[in-house]
Amino acid sequence: AQKITQTQPGMFVQEKEAVTLDCTYDTSDQSYGLFWYKQPSSGEMIFLIYQGSYDEQNATEGRYSLNFQKARKSANLVISASQLGDSAMYFCAMSSGNTPLVFGKGTRLSVIA
Amino acid sequence: ETGVTQTPRHLVMGMTNKKSLKCEQHLGHNAMYWYKQSAKKPLELMFVYNFKEQTENNSVPSRFSPECPNSSHLFLHLHTLQPEDSALYLCASSQEAPPLAGGRYERYFGPGTRLTVT
């Protein structure tokens, strides 16, 4: 069965610094996709970035990049130059085969001025 | 209006009430989803509709009844709920479902309905 593990319940980062949010996954499928979502206090889940298991390059979207280490089954999110508006819950998720998207428990990021 | 909208945003209901949650997507997607988000638990998939057909019912109690009249609208009918059903209910849509193996079918989520059952 697919599983996502986010070991950091909460993280603090100074404004303008970079921060890494950890995510490890477990699947026996060879083809899968990894996603990161941001959930601010308003409740809406906002898609941030996607990495396919066969993508050779690490995905990047603006200030977000995904540090994909396939052998270690990790897909860490790196946020560069943190902003106060980055304070939110962050969820890692995975899809593979015909299974629905599986989410981790999330990490609460707090950006400090 | 764009994206995925949900109404109401907040709902308080008694255990004997009947209410409905509404979701509408303006993205031209063919798949819609209901998720439940309880405190300190991962997001739980409840139902999946693909081209108006229900393709997934994740062992959800019958007091939750989904309805998908067309690809743009999704309802969740609620009746005789329990206090433990209090949660944030999120609707989402994607181009299709289930995703192709490893396919990039990211979900676009609505803002959710915060439900409190008293």
Side-chain angles (χ1 to χ4, degrees), chain A residues 24-73:
Chain A
T24 57
Y25 60 91
D26 189 19
T27 181
S28 57
D29 292 321
Q30 296 302 308
S31 182
Y32 49 88
L34 296 155
F35 304 77
W36 276 93
Y37 285 85
K38 171 185 178 181
Q39 187 179 39
S41 56
S42 59
E44 184 176 356
M45 298 278 278
I46 302 166
F47 166 73
L48 296 178
I49 196 167
Y50 166 85
Q51 178 85 42
S53 59
Y54 290 118
D55 293 342
E56 295 185 354
Q57 304 274 353
N58 283 346
T60 61
E61 294 281 354
R63 293 186 298 111
Y64 304 108
S65 60
L66 202 151
N67 183 1
F68 181 46
Q69 297 187 44
K70 195 169 182 177
R72 296 180 60 188
K73 294 190 174 179

Coordinates of all heavy atoms in Angstrom, one line a residue, chain A residues 24-73:
Chain A
T24 N 8.9 11.4 2.9 CA 9.3 10.1 2.4 C 8.0 9.3 2.0 O 7.0 9.6 2.5 CB 10.1 9.3 3.4 OG1 9.3 9.1 4.6 CG2 11.4 10.0 3.7
Y25 N 8.2 8.4 1.1 CA 7.1 7.7 0.5 C 7.4 6.2 0.4 O 8.6 5.8 0.4 CB 6.6 8.3 -0.8 CG 7.7 8.2 -1.9 CD1 7.8 7.1 -2.7 CD2 8.6 9.3 -2.0 CE1 8.8 7.1 -3.7 CE2 9.6 9.2 -3.0 CZ 9.7 8.1 -3.8 OH 10.7 8.1 -4.8
D26 N 6.3 5.4 0.3 CA 6.5 4.0 0.2 C 5.5 3.5 -0.9 O 4.3 3.7 -0.8 CB 6.2 3.3 1.5 CG 6.6 1.8 1.5 OD1 7.4 1.5 0.6 OD2 6.1 1.1 2.3
T27 N 6.1 2.9 -1.9 CA 5.2 2.3 -2.9 C 6.0 1.2 -3.6 O 7.3 1.2 -3.7 CB 4.8 3.3 -4.0 OG1 4.0 2.7 -5.0 CG2 6.0 4.0 -4.7
S28 N 5.4 0.2 -4.1 CA 6.0 -0.8 -4.9 C 5.9 -0.6 -6.4 O 6.4 -1.3 -7.2 CB 5.4 -2.2 -4.6 OG 4.0 -2.2 -4.8
D29 N 5.1 0.5 -6.8 CA 5.0 0.8 -8.2 C 6.2 1.5 -8.7 O 6.9 2.2 -8.0 CB 3.8 1.7 -8.4 CG 2.5 1.0 -8.1 OD1 2.3 -0.2 -8.5 OD2 1.6 1.7 -7.5
Q30 N 6.5 1.3 -10.0 CA 7.6 1.9 -10.6 C 7.3 3.3 -11.2 O 8.2 4.1 -11.3 CB 8.2 1.0 -11.8 CG 8.7 -0.3 -11.3 CD 9.8 -0.2 -10.3 OE1 10.8 0.5 -10.6 NE2 9.7 -0.8 -9.2
S31 N 6.0 3.5 -11.5 CA 5.6 4.7 -12.0 C 4.6 5.4 -11.0 O 3.6 4.8 -10.7 CB 4.9 4.5 -13.4 OG 4.5 5.7 -13.9
Y32 N 5.0 6.6 -10.7 CA 4.2 7.3 -9.7 C 4.4 8.8 -9.8 O 5.4 9.2 -10.5 CB 4.4 6.8 -8.2 CG 5.9 6.8 -7.9 CD1 6.5 7.9 -7.3 CD2 6.6 5.6 -8.1 CE1 7.9 7.8 -7.0 CE2 8.0 5.5 -7.7 CZ 8.6 6.6 -7.2 OH 9.9 6.6 -6.9
G33 N 3.6 9.6 -9.2 CA 3.7 11.0 -9.1 C 3.7 11.5 -7.7 O 3.0 11.0 -6.9
L34 N 4.5 12.6 -7.5 CA 4.6 13.2 -6.1 C 4.2 14.6 -6.2 O 4.5 15.3 -7.2 CB 6.0 13.1 -5.6 CG 6.5 11.6 -5.4 CD1 8.0 11.5 -5.5 CD2 5.9 11.1 -4.1
F35 N 3.4 15.1 -5.2 CA 2.8 16.4 -5.2 C 3.0 17.1 -3.9 O 3.1 16.4 -2.9 CB 1.3 16.3 -5.4 CG 0.8 15.6 -6.7 CD1 0.8 14.2 -6.7 CD2 0.3 16.3 -7.8 CE1 0.4 13.5 -7.9 CE2 -0.1 15.7 -8.9 CZ -0.1 14.3 -8.9
W36 N 3.1 18.4 -3.9 CA 3.1 19.2 -2.7 C 2.0 20.2 -2.8 O 1.8 20.8 -3.9 CB 4.4 19.9 -2.5 CG 5.5 19.1 -1.8 CD1 6.4 18.3 -2.4 CD2 5.7 18.9 -0.4 NE1 7.2 17.7 -1.5 CE2 6.8 18.1 -0.2 CE3 5.0 19.4 0.7 CZ2 7.3 17.7 1.0 CZ3 5.5 19.1 2.0 CH2 6.6 18.2 2.1
Y37 N 1.2 20.3 -1.7 CA 0.1 21.2 -1.6 C 0.4 22.1 -0.4 O 0.9 21.7 0.6 CB -1.2 20.5 -1.4 CG -1.7 19.9 -2.6 CD1 -1.4 18.6 -3.0 CD2 -2.7 20.6 -3.4 CE1 -1.9 18.0 -4.1 CE2 -3.2 20.0 -4.6 CZ -2.8 18.7 -4.9 OH -3.3 18.1 -6.1
K38 N -0.1 23.4 -0.5 CA -0.1 24.3 0.6 C -1.5 24.6 1.1 O -2.4 24.8 0.3 CB 0.6 25.6 0.1 CG 0.5 26.8 1.1 CD 1.1 28.1 0.4 CE 1.0 29.3 1.3 NZ 1.5 30.5 0.7
Q39 N -1.7 24.6 2.4 CA -3.0 24.9 2.9 C -2.9 26.0 3.9 O -2.6 25.9 5.1 CB -3.7 23.7 3.6 CG -5.1 23.9 4.0 CD -5.8 22.7 4.6 OE1 -5.1 22.0 5.4 NE2 -7.0 22.4 4.3
P40 N -3.3 27.3 3.5 CA -3.3 28.4 4.5 C -4.5 28.3 5.4 O -5.3 27.3 5.3 CB -3.4 29.6 3.5 CG -3.8 29.1 2.2 CD -3.6 27.6 2.1
S41 N -4.5 29.2 6.3 CA -5.6 29.1 7.4 C -7.0 29.2 6.7 O -8.0 28.8 7.4 CB -5.4 30.2 8.4 OG -5.4 31.4 7.8
S42 N -7.1 29.7 5.5 CA -8.4 29.8 4.9 C -9.0 28.4 4.5 O -10.2 28.3 4.3 CB -8.3 30.7 3.6 OG -7.3 30.1 2.7
G43 N -8.1 27.4 4.5 CA -8.6 26.1 4.2 C -8.4 25.5 2.9 O -8.3 24.3 2.7
E44 N -8.2 26.4 1.9 CA -8.1 25.9 0.5 C -6.7 25.2 0.3 O -5.7 25.6 0.8 CB -8.2 27.0 -0.5 CG -8.1 26.6 -1.9 CD -8.4 27.8 -2.8 OE1 -8.6 28.9 -2.3 OE2 -8.3 27.7 -4.1
M45 N -6.7 24.0 -0.4 CA -5.5 23.3 -0.7 C -4.9 23.9 -2.0 O -5.6 23.8 -3.0 CB -5.7 21.8 -0.8 CG -6.2 21.2 0.5 SD -4.8 20.9 1.6 CE -4.3 19.3 0.9
I46 N -3.7 24.4 -2.0 CA -3.2 25.0 -3.2 C -2.1 24.1 -3.8 O -1.1 23.8 -3.1 CB -2.6 26.4 -2.9 CG1 -3.8 27.2 -2.3 CG2 -2.0 27.0 -4.1 CD1 -3.3 28.5 -1.7
F47 N -2.2 23.7 -5.0 CA -1.1 22.8 -5.6 C 0.1 23.7 -5.8 O 0.1 24.8 -6.3 CB -1.6 22.3 -7.0 CG -0.6 21.8 -7.9 CD1 0.0 20.5 -7.6 CD2 -0.1 22.5 -9.0 CE1 1.0 20.0 -8.3 CE2 0.9 21.9 -9.8 CZ 1.5 20.7 -9.4
L48 N 1.3 23.1 -5.5 CA 2.5 23.8 -5.6 C 3.5 23.3 -6.7 O 4.0 24.0 -7.5 CB 3.3 23.8 -4.2 CG 2.7 24.5 -3.0 CD1 3.6 24.3 -1.8 CD2 2.4 25.9 -3.3
I49 N 3.7 21.9 -6.6 CA 4.7 21.4 -7.5 C 4.5 19.9 -7.7 O 3.9 19.2 -6.8 CB 6.1 21.7 -6.9 CG1 7.2 21.4 -7.9 CG2 6.3 20.9 -5.6 CD1 8.6 22.0 -7.4
Y50 N 4.9 19.3 -8.8 CA 4.8 17.9 -9.1 C 6.1 17.3 -9.6 O 6.9 18.0 -10.3 CB 3.7 17.8 -10.3 CG 3.7 16.4 -10.9 CD1 3.0 15.4 -10.3 CD2 4.4 16.2 -12.1 CE1 2.9 14.1 -10.9 CE2 4.4 14.9 -12.7 CZ 3.7 13.9 -12.1 OH 3.6 12.7 -12.7
Q51 N 6.3 16.1 -9.2 CA 7.5 15.4 -9.7 C 7.1 14.0 -10.2 O 6.5 13.2 -9.4 CB 8.5 15.2 -8.6 CG 9.8 14.4 -8.9 CD 10.8 15.3 -9.6 OE1 11.1 16.4 -9.2 NE2 11.5 14.8 -10.6
G52 N 7.3 13.6 -11.4 CA 7.1 12.3 -11.9 C 8.2 11.4 -11.6 O 9.4 11.8 -11.6
S53 N 8.0 10.1 -11.3 CA 9.0 9.2 -10.9 C 10.1 9.0 -12.0 O 11.2 8.6 -11.7 CB 8.4 7.8 -10.5 OG 7.7 7.2 -11.6
Y54 N 9.7 9.2 -13.3 CA 10.7 9.0 -14.3 C 11.3 10.4 -14.8 O 12.1 10.4 -15.7 CB 10.0 8.4 -15.5 CG 9.6 6.9 -15.3 CD1 8.3 6.5 -15.3 CD2 10.6 6.0 -15.0 CE1 8.0 5.2 -15.1 CE2 10.3 4.7 -14.7 CZ 9.0 4.3 -14.8 OH 8.6 3.0 -14.5
D55 N 10.9 11.4 -14.1 CA 11.6 12.7 -14.4 C 13.0 12.7 -14.0 O 13.3 12.5 -12.8 CB 10.8 13.9 -13.8 CG 9.4 14.0 -14.3 OD1 9.1 13.5 -15.4 OD2 8.6 14.7 -13.7
E56 N 13.9 13.1 -14.8 CA 15.3 13.0 -14.5 C 15.7 14.3 -13.7 O 16.7 14.3 -12.9 CB 16.2 12.8 -15.7 CG 15.9 11.5 -16.4 CD 16.9 11.2 -17.6 OE1 17.6 12.1 -17.9 OE2 16.8 10.1 -18.1
Q57 N 15.1 15.4 -14.0 CA 15.4 16.6 -13.4 C 14.5 16.9 -12.2 O 13.3 16.5 -12.2 CB 15.2 17.8 -14.3 CG 16.0 17.7 -15.6 CD 17.4 18.2 -15.5 OE1 17.7 18.8 -14.5 NE2 18.2 18.0 -16.5
N58 N 15.0 17.5 -11.1 CA 14.2 17.9 -10.0 C 13.3 19.0 -10.5 O 13.7 19.9 -11.2 CB 15.1 18.4 -8.8 CG 15.7 17.2 -8.1 OD1 15.3 16.1 -8.2 ND2 16.7 17.6 -7.3
A59 N 12.0 18.9 -10.0 CA 11.0 19.9 -10.4 C 11.3 21.2 -9.7 O 11.7 21.3 -8.6 CB 9.6 19.4 -10.1
T60 N 11.0 22.3 -10.4 CA 11.1 23.6 -9.8 C 9.9 24.5 -10.3 O 9.5 24.3 -11.5 CB 12.4 24.4 -10.2 OG1 12.4 24.5 -11.6 CG2 13.6 23.6 -9.8
E61 N 9.4 25.3 -9.4 CA 8.3 26.2 -9.7 C 8.5 27.5 -8.9 O 8.2 27.5 -7.7 CB 6.9 25.6 -9.3 CG 6.5 24.4 -10.1 CD 5.9 24.7 -11.5 OE1 5.7 25.9 -11.8 OE2 5.6 23.8 -12.3
G62 N 9.1 28.4 -9.5 CA 9.4 29.7 -8.8 C 10.3 29.4 -7.6 O 11.4 28.9 -7.7
R63 N 9.8 29.8 -6.4 CA 10.6 29.6 -5.2 C 10.6 28.2 -4.7 O 11.2 27.9 -3.7 CB 10.2 30.6 -4.2 CG 10.4 32.1 -4.5 CD 10.1 33.0 -3.3 NE 8.7 33.0 -3.0 CZ 8.2 32.4 -1.8 NH1 9.1 31.9 -0.9 NH2 6.9 32.4 -1.5
Y64 N 9.8 27.4 -5.3 CA 9.6 26.0 -4.8 C 10.5 25.1 -5.7 O 10.5 25.2 -6.9 CB 8.2 25.5 -4.9 CG 7.2 26.4 -4.1 CD1 6.3 27.2 -4.8 CD2 7.2 26.4 -2.8 CE1 5.4 28.1 -4.2 CE2 6.3 27.2 -2.1 CZ 5.4 28.1 -2.8 OH 4.5 28.9 -2.1
S65 N 11.2 24.2 -5.0 CA 11.9 23.1 -5.7 C 11.7 21.8 -5.0 O 11.5 21.8 -3.7 CB 13.3 23.4 -5.9 OG 14.0 23.6 -4.7
L66 N 11.7 20.7 -5.7 CA 11.5 19.4 -5.1 C 12.8 18.6 -5.2 O 13.3 18.4 -6.3 CB 10.4 18.7 -5.8 CG 9.7 17.6 -5.0 CD1 8.3 17.4 -5.5 CD2 10.4 16.3 -5.2
N67 N 13.4 18.3 -4.0 CA 14.6 17.5 -4.0 C 14.2 16.0 -4.0 O 13.9 15.4 -3.0 CB 15.4 17.9 -2.7 CG 16.7 17.1 -2.6 OD1 17.1 16.4 -3.5 ND2 17.4 17.4 -1.6
F68 N 14.2 15.4 -5.2 CA 13.8 14.1 -5.4 C 14.9 13.1 -5.4 O 15.9 13.2 -6.2 CB 13.1 14.0 -6.8 CG 12.5 12.7 -7.1 CD1 11.8 11.9 -6.2 CD2 12.7 12.1 -8.4 CE1 11.2 10.7 -6.5 CE2 12.2 10.9 -8.8 CZ 11.4 10.2 -7.8
Q69 N 14.9 12.2 -4.4 CA 16.0 11.2 -4.3 C 15.3 9.8 -4.3 O 14.8 9.3 -3.3 CB 16.7 11.4 -3.0 CG 17.5 12.7 -3.0 CD 18.4 12.8 -1.8 OE1 19.1 11.9 -1.4 NE2 18.4 14.0 -1.1
K70 N 15.2 9.3 -5.5 CA 14.4 8.1 -5.8 C 14.9 6.9 -5.0 O 14.0 6.1 -4.5 CB 14.5 7.8 -7.3 CG 13.4 6.8 -7.8 CD 13.4 6.8 -9.3 CE 12.3 5.9 -9.8 NZ 12.3 5.9 -11.3
A71 N 16.2 6.7 -4.9 CA 16.7 5.5 -4.2 C 16.3 5.6 -2.7 O 16.1 4.6 -2.1 CB 18.2 5.4 -4.3
R72 N 16.3 6.8 -2.2 CA 15.9 7.0 -0.7 C 14.4 7.1 -0.6 O 13.9 7.3 0.6 CB 16.6 8.2 -0.2 CG 18.1 8.0 -0.2 CD 18.8 9.3 0.4 NE 18.4 9.5 1.8 CZ 18.6 10.6 2.5 NH1 19.4 11.6 1.9 NH2 18.2 10.7 3.7
K73 N 13.7 7.2 -1.7 CA 12.2 7.4 -1.6 C 11.9 8.7 -0.8 O 11.0 8.6 0.1 CB 11.5 6.2 -1.1 CG 11.6 5.0 -2.0 CD 10.7 3.8 -1.6 CE 10.7 2.7 -2.6 NZ 9.8 1.6 -2.3

